[in-house]
Amino acid sequence: MEKTIQCYCVNCRQVTNHAVLFSIKEHSNDDDYWWESTYSVVKCLGCESIQFHKEDIDESNFEYYGDGDIDTHPTITTYPRQRYKVEPIGNTWELPELVRGLYVETMDCLNNSRLQLAAAGFRAIIEAICRDAKVTGKNLESMINNLAKSHIITAKDRDHLHAIRFMGNDSIHSLKKYREEEVIIVAHIVNAVLTSLYLIAKKVKYLDMKPISKYTEFIDILDESIAKRTVGDVDILRNFIRHDRRIISEDIPGFENELKANITSGTYTKLSLCATPTTGHSQQYKIESI
Ligand SMILES: [Zn+2]
C-alpha cells in the first residue's frame, strides 16, 4: 500500500492526506548530533495537486517526556509555499502603530514556522495593546486585569490574554516549545481581539444602526415619527418611537423626562401633554404640529 502523510494543501487550504509518490532521506553520520531530512513529492488525495514536501528533524528540537516518549517537532517546508497558517487580518493600518509593527512581524514568524519567536511576539502584542489603552499596572499580569476592569476587553478575553502571556513567558524564559496548533490558536485569539478592539470599533462609528445616546438624536427620531402622523393624534411616547431600534428601551425614561420638561417650558412644541391618563399608566401626548 502506498505511503501517505498528512500535510497542508495549498489548494484545499487545509491539512489533507497526501500520497507519497517519491521520497528520499538524508541523515547525519555523526553520533554526537543527530538530524534527518526527508524530501518527498506528494499528491493531495483530495484535489490531486502535487507538491514538494521537506521534513527536517534534529535533536535540538526534541522534547523529552522522561518516560521514553519524545516529540520531534519537525520543521516542514513545502513548495508551492503554504499561503498562510493563519491569515493576517486585513486593514492593519487601522491598528495603533506600536501594535501594527509587532503584529505584522509576529504573523510573518508564525507563517514561516518560527514558532518560538511568534509566541514571544504575541505576548509583546498584548503588552502593546495595554500600553495603547494606557492601562496601568506593575506588570503585564495586572495590566491585563485592568484592561478587563476598564471594560476594554471581556472577562473571557482576559483569560485568553493571560494564556498568551504564559505562552510568551515560557517561550522567552524556559525555551519551552509549543506545538504549531497551539500557536495557531493564539494567533486566532489575537486576530479576534484586534478585530473587536480596533477594526469593528471604527466601523461601528459609520453605521447608522448604533444606539443613540444623545437627547437631540432622540428628538430627531421623534420628529420623523410625528411627521408621519396627523395633527390631533394622541398616543404614548413608546408608540411614537417603537419602530426605531436605535433607541434602547432602558434609555427611554430618561429621554421622556427631558421631553416632558421641554414641553412644559415651551421649548418643544410639536407635542403637548394630555391630562393625567384615565386609562393605562403612561403619559399621553397630543400632536400639535408636524
Ligand atoms: Zn488538496
Side-chain angles (χ1 to χ4, degrees):
M1 205 180 119
E2 73 185 348
K3 192 183 169 213
T4 59
I5 58 168
Q6 285 207 321
C7 65
Y8 187 88
C9 172
V10 178
N11 265 353
C12 297
R13 294 184 142 206
Q14 58 180 316
V15 174
T16 59
N17 288 318
H18 284 69
V20 180
L21 305 180
F22 171 82
S23 192
I24 189 166
K25 269 187 208 293
E26 276 189 331
H27 56 81
S28 57
N29 295 315
D30 185 347
D31 283 344
D32 286 346
Y33 186 76
W34 186 88
W35 59 266
E36 182 180 270
S37 295
T38 309
Y39 304 81
S40 309
V41 176
V42 298
K43 182 179 181 179
C44 175
L45 293 176
C47 70
E48 302 199 320
S49 63
I50 292 175
Q51 66 169 319
F52 173 73
H53 181 274
K54 181 174 175 238
E55 183 182 278
D56 294 305
I57 303 173
D58 78 62
E59 62 187 350
S60 69
N61 277 338
F62 285 5
E63 190 174 353
Y64 298 92
Y65 291 106
D67 54 1
D69 274 350
I70 52 169
D71 243 333
T72 55
H73 295 288
T75 303
I76 307 290
T77 313
T78 58
Y79 186 84
R81 222 178 103 182
Q82 177 175 333
R83 282 184 191 116
Y84 291 118
K85 293 184 202 303
V86 177
E87 190 153 359
I89 51 175
N91 300 0
T92 47
W93 61 86
E94 292 186 1
L95 301 176
E97 206 175 329
L98 180 59
V99 176
R100 182 175 64 233
L102 285 166
Y103 176 74
V104 170
E105 285 195 16
T106 304
M107 291 302 279
D108 204 44
C109 282
L110 169 66
N111 285 317
N112 284 290
S113 300
R114 310 286 181 254
L115 300 183
Q116 213 167 344
L117 278 179
F122 286 125
R123 182 197 182 280
I125 289 171
I126 304 307
E127 193 163 344
I129 291 172
C130 292
R131 295 199 186 284
D132 178 68
K134 299 196 167 46
V135 291
T136 52
K138 61 182 189 304
N139 52 29
L140 186 55
E141 180 180 352
S142 62
M143 281 158 84
I144 292 172
N145 291 337
N146 289 337
L147 212 51
K149 280 180 196 153
S150 319
H151 303 292
I152 296 169
I153 56 169
T154 64
K156 203 175 210 171
D157 285 337
R158 187 199 72 149
D159 295 344
H160 287 154
L161 297 197
H162 279 306
I164 294 172
R165 180 173 66 83
F166 299 149
M167 179 182 270
N169 288 351
D170 288 346
S171 271
I172 298 164
H173 302 304
S174 67
L175 302 183
K176 177 175 164 62
K177 289 184 191 306
Y178 280 87
R179 291 168 190 281
E180 183 173 284
E181 307 90 86
E182 293 171 307
V183 186
I184 283 176
I185 290 170
V186 161
H188 283 298
I189 295 170
V190 167
N191 274 359
V193 169
L194 294 182
T195 302
S196 92
L197 266 185
Y198 303 112
L199 306 186
I200 300 283
K202 283 204 170 159
K203 286 197 174 79
V204 167
K205 268 192 206 161
Y206 302 110
L207 282 179
D208 282 331
M209 280 305 159
K210 65 175 183 178
I212 65 151
S213 53
K214 295 194 189 90
Y215 176 73
T216 50
E217 295 170 322
F218 163 78
I219 288 298
D220 287 343
I221 291 169
L222 181 62
D223 284 350
E224 271 174 41
S225 165
I226 290 172
K228 294 176 194 150
R229 308 279 284 257
T230 317
V231 174
D233 270 3
V234 172
D235 214 334
I236 60 171
L237 183 64
R238 279 178 192 266
N239 286 342
F240 281 123
I241 56 172
R242 71 176 163 181
H243 295 302
D244 207 304
R245 59 186 169 168
R246 285 173 291 175
I247 300 172
I248 304 298
S249 194
E250 70 175 44
D251 294 339
I252 293 177
F255 290 140
E256 183 158 21
N257 285 339
E258 201 163 346
L259 176 68
K260 282 186 201 163
N262 284 342
I263 293 172
T264 308
S265 67
T267 42
Y268 189 81
T269 53
K270 289 188 177 178
L271 294 177
S272 62
L273 298 168
C274 296
T276 312
T278 48
T279 53
H281 301 288
S282 300
Q283 174 68 52
Q284 293 167 35
Y285 300 84
K286 184 176 168 193
I287 300 180
E288 298 293 340
S289 64
I290 56 173

